[in-house]
């Protein structure tokens, strides 16, 4: 029986195999945040001579990339990236996701928006029949915390401020528990329209294009029904 860490290592390797044919001297790729993304970054370092550099969804990932000798570009310097590699906290069969457990959800959404393909890398524990068991992160302007908490309660959720945490954008995170998200794109739009919300951690209006799912039987490739 493989441990979760071993499953993460296998899917990070599968993501590297997926990306290698896309690398070229003028290519910049998008890279996310989290423990599985870190394993991908570590593997990518051995191939840094094959591509131009990366754009990153967090200061943490940028620091890791830089330390390994991979040049990190400001996204304002880049028009498109061929691929964005990132993990998820939950993902369903439609490749809708909850992301933001590490607090980088806004920058993750921004980098994903300029990618030709979003490849989500997860272990089998993250695949769920319905999103919502993992608390939904919402990045919020600090003065709106109380009002956003009240508004989210109308959807049946209970919001808790993530204590001692500030995002790379200088905002705060509300983690919303108690949701059963049967229409993720609709809920994403509704929450994002609340004044004071920067963005929520639902990636459903634009979900993943491909998921590499690490299981005890090997790494499976899932494709979005939107593709």
């Amino acid at each position: 029986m493989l441990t979760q860490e071993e499953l993460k290592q296998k899917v990070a390797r599968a993501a590297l195999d997926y990306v290698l044919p896309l690398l070229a001297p003028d290519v910049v790729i998008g890279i996310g945040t989290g423990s599985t993304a870190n394993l991908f970054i570590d593997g990518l370092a051995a191939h840094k001579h094959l591509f131009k550099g990366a754009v990153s969804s967090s200061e943490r990932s940028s620091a890791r990339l830089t330390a390994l000798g991979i040049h990190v570009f400001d996204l304002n310097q880049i028009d498109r990236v061929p691929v964005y590699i990132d993990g998820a906290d939950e993902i369903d069969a439609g490749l809708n996701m909850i992301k933001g457990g590490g607090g980088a959800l806004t920058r993750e959404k921004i980098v994903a928006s300029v990618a030709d393909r979003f490849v989500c890398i997860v272990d089998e524990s993250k695949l769920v029949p319905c999103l919502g068991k993992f608390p939904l992160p919402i990045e919020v302007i600090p003065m709106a915390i109380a009002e956003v908490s009240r508004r989210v309660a109308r959807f049946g959720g209970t919001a808790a401020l993530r204590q001692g945490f500030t995002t790379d954008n200088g905002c705060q995170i509300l983690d919303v528990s108690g949701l059963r998200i049967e229409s993720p794109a609709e809920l994403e739009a509704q929450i994002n329209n609340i004044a004071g919300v920067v963005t929520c951690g639902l990636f459903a209006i634009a979900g993943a294009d491909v998921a590499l799912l690490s299981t005890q039987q090997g790494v499976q490739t899932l494709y979005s029904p939107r593709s």
Side-chain angles (χ1 to χ4, degrees):
M1 180 74 71
L2 297 173
T3 66
Q4 187 176 38
E5 183 63 21
E6 289 169 333
L7 290 171
K8 288 181 178 182
Q9 290 170 352
K10 285 186 175 295
V11 79
R13 176 66 221 185
L16 186 60
D17 291 341
Y18 186 99
V19 165
L20 283 176
L22 304 176
L23 300 183
D26 62 342
V27 166
V28 175
I29 65 172
I31 297 177
T33 299
S35 58
T36 310
N38 283 343
L39 292 170
F40 171 73
I41 291 169
D42 293 346
L44 186 65
H47 306 279
K48 60 188 176 186
H49 60 288
L50 297 178
F51 64 107
K52 190 174 183 179
V55 291
S56 159
S57 69
S58 70
E59 299 297 333
R60 283 164 287 158
S61 290
S62 292
R64 195 180 194 97
L65 288 158
T66 300
L68 291 169
I70 298 170
H71 184 74
V72 178
F73 289 87
D74 185 307
L75 188 59
N76 290 307
Q77 300 173 277
I78 305 299
D79 293 328
R80 300 293 300 172
V81 297
V83 66
Y84 174 57
I85 303 290
D86 200 3
D89 299 300
E90 283 188 344
I91 188 168
D92 67 14
L95 305 197
N96 306 297
M97 297 166 287
I98 287 180
K99 294 174 50 56
L105 57 160
T106 298
R107 295 192 184 193
E108 289 170 346
K109 200 167 279 192
I110 293 169
V111 178
S113 74
V114 303
D116 295 333
R117 277 175 278 179
F118 181 167
V119 179
C120 182
I121 54 175
V122 288
D123 66 82
E124 60 189 358
S125 70
K126 306 297 176 66
L127 182 64
V128 298
C130 183
L131 300 176
K133 184 176 181 180
F134 188 92
L136 175 64
I138 306 175
E139 185 165 355
V140 179
I141 302 295
M143 70 177 292
I145 288 169
E147 175 59 15
V148 173
S149 297
R150 288 189 288 266
R151 293 285 296 275
V152 167
R154 300 176 189 175
F155 301 119
T158 301
L161 181 65
R162 191 176 298 184
Q163 297 293 330
F165 183 85
T166 301
T167 72
D168 289 342
N169 307 311
C171 297
Q172 293 179 283
I173 298 287
L174 289 171
D175 291 305
V176 183
S177 58
L179 296 173
R180 179 177 173 81
I181 306 171
E182 296 180 340
S183 301
E186 180 181 344
L187 184 61
E188 179 182 359
Q190 291 173 324
I191 293 176
N192 285 347
N193 279 333
I194 299 172
V197 168
V198 180
T199 197
C200 75
L202 279 167
F203 285 60
I205 294 172
D209 299 298
V210 178
L212 300 178
L213 179 71
S214 190
T215 76
Q216 296 294 331
Q217 291 73 43
V219 177
Q220 300 175 10
T221 303
L222 310 178
Y223 296 96
S224 169
R226 296 178 289 261
S227 298

